Each structure stands twice: as structure tokens, then as C-alpha cells.
Amino acid sequence: MTSLLSLLGRGALAGAASGLVSGGFSWLLAEPVLDKAVRLEAAREEVSGSGSAAAEVFSRSTQHTGLLVAAVLTGAAIGVLFAVVYAILHRSDPDAASWRRSLTLAGAGFTGLWLLPFLRYPANPPGVGDPGTLDTRTNAWLAAIAIGVIAVVLAWCVHGWLAEQGRSAPLRQLAVVAIVLAALASLFALPNPDAVTAPATLVWDFRVLSAASMGLLWAGLAVGFGLLGVRASRGRTEASLPAASAVPVV
């Protein structure tokens, strides 16, 4: 129990720190792009006469602060889930290096939960997409996440099974690549997203910054959790060594 609680605390701390870094990046670089998208959407609605913009419940400055809070809380939640999966893997293979396992697990999580779905449905700024297809787009995004997670778990299991069979590293890596490519192909069987009508420069700036923000989140989680794991392992090793004062002086 103590070990699990320690892992959960480590995950929450590393996740919150990476969330702060990711949120700070979005606040400084992505939010100006989002502000521009919001203004363009409001102007489009005014010109088209589709309806007046609703009054903001919170000002944009308040929303910017909320972004940081939400990023930290989201990072902490992801860190706790990360620690749970790490604990399961640690129980099955307690001798694996914590640093390498942290980086590998974060890479798998980033690929399954974000990268594969993003390749099919890249992030778009506000105002892109028909409001009437919101439910369809949400369900398609959730299906993309499910496919990504299944692909990563399957690739992880196949890689481990091939390693147990003594298969060579190239064969194991090719098997992982084949599974990921098959998952990516299946993602494009999902419904097509709505047409993007916003300016291309704005859309791609938003997508690149969104990708960078999520990359920072997962990279920060991997590095933070891994470093905390190395520190904990070093502490256990030092505690197991006999104290210098216990050695008799001749």
C-alpha cells in the first residue's frame, strides 16, 4: 500500500508540474491564436446574421487563468492514471529500470491517447465545424481514442510476447509498427470531419501549438516521473547499505 501511495503521489506531482509547463506554454503562445479565432467567429456570426454572440460568463483574462488551473489539474489526473498503469507493470516486472519504463510508458500513452486520434482528427480552433454535428464529432473522437488505446496495448503485449519467445529486436519493432499502421488505417474508416472554413494559417498555427502543448505535457510527465523514480531507487539502495558508523574501527 505504501509503495502504491508513493507511486500515486509521484504521478500526481510529476503530472501537475508537466501540466503547469504545458498550460504556461498554451497561455503564452496558443491563447493569442485562440483569441484571434474567437474574434473571427464572432465577426462571422455578426456578418451572416446567424445570431448575436452570447455574453461571456467569464472574461478572456479569467479564462486564461482558468486554463492554467485546468492544465495543472488535468496533468495531475493523468499522472495518477499513469502511476496506476506503472504500478501494474512494475508488479509484473519489478526489476525493470524506472527511468526507461517511465519514458516508454509515456511514449505509449502519448501515442495511443493523443497522437493517433490527432492524426485522424487534428485540433481545430473555435468556430470550425457545424454545431449540428457536435455529437457525431464527439463520438468519432472517442472512437479514435479507443482505437488508439487498443492498438498501443496490443502492440505492447505482442512486443512482450515476442521478447519472451526470444525473437530479435527488429522483428519486435516491425510488429509494433505494423500494429500502429493498421490502427491508423482503421481510423480513417471513421466519419469524415466537417469542412474547415477558417483561414489555413490560423488553423495550422492552432494545431501545431496544440501538438506542442500536449508533447510538453507527456514529455514532462515522463521525465518528472522517471527522475522521481530514480531518486526513490537511489534512496532505497543507500538505505540498504550498512551505515559507515556500524563498521567497527580497528
Side-chain angles (χ1 to χ4, degrees):
M1 177 63 71
T2 302
S3 177
L4 178 59
L5 290 177
S6 176
L7 286 176
L8 293 177
R10 190 189 308 169
L13 179 59
S18 62
L20 181 60
V21 172
S22 174
F25 173 86
S26 297
W27 188 23
L28 293 174
L29 298 178
E31 281 299 290
V33 177
L34 186 59
D35 290 340
K36 184 177 179 180
V38 170
R39 290 193 297 269
L40 286 175
E41 174 61 12
R44 189 182 72 176
E45 291 183 354
E46 183 178 351
V47 170
S48 64
S50 59
S52 58
E56 289 184 339
V57 178
F58 300 102
S59 66
R60 287 297 295 160
S61 59
T62 302
Q63 293 175 29
H64 293 167
T65 304
L67 167 68
L68 287 176
V69 176
V72 171
L73 294 178
T74 300
I78 293 176
V80 169
L81 294 176
F82 183 90
V84 170
V85 178
Y86 184 97
I88 294 173
L89 295 176
H90 179 74
R91 178 175 296 181
S92 62
D93 184 14
D95 296 327
S98 57
W99 172 256
R100 180 177 180 181
R101 171 170 287 165
S102 178
L103 297 183
T104 303
L105 182 57
F110 174 77
T111 301
L113 289 171
W114 189 85
L115 180 59
L116 287 176
F118 177 82
L119 292 176
R120 179 63 182 97
Y121 299 118
N124 289 319
V128 174
D130 182 0
T133 63
L134 178 60
D135 289 341
T136 301
R137 285 183 281 131
T138 301
N139 292 334
W141 174 253
L142 293 176
I145 293 177
I147 291 174
V149 170
I150 291 172
V152 168
V153 171
L154 180 60
W156 190 293
C157 293
V158 169
H159 184 278
W161 179 78
L162 290 174
E164 292 177 356
Q165 300 300 313
R167 304 298 183 180
S168 63
L171 179 60
R172 300 197 302 269
Q173 294 163 359
L174 287 174
V176 169
V177 171
I179 293 172
V180 172
L181 290 178
L184 185 59
S186 68
L187 285 172
F188 283 88
L190 296 174
N192 290 325
D194 294 337
V196 177
T197 57
T201 301
L202 175 65
V203 170
W204 282 105
D205 284 347
F206 184 82
R207 290 175 176 177
V208 169
L209 291 171
S210 296
S213 176
M214 292 304 299
L216 284 173
L217 175 65
W218 283 96
L221 176 60
V223 172
F225 194 93
L227 289 176
L228 291 173
V230 170
R231 182 185 178 204
S233 299
R234 185 178 300 144
R236 288 192 298 269
T237 301
E238 293 176 352
S240 64
L241 296 177
S245 59
V247 179
V249 179
V250 179

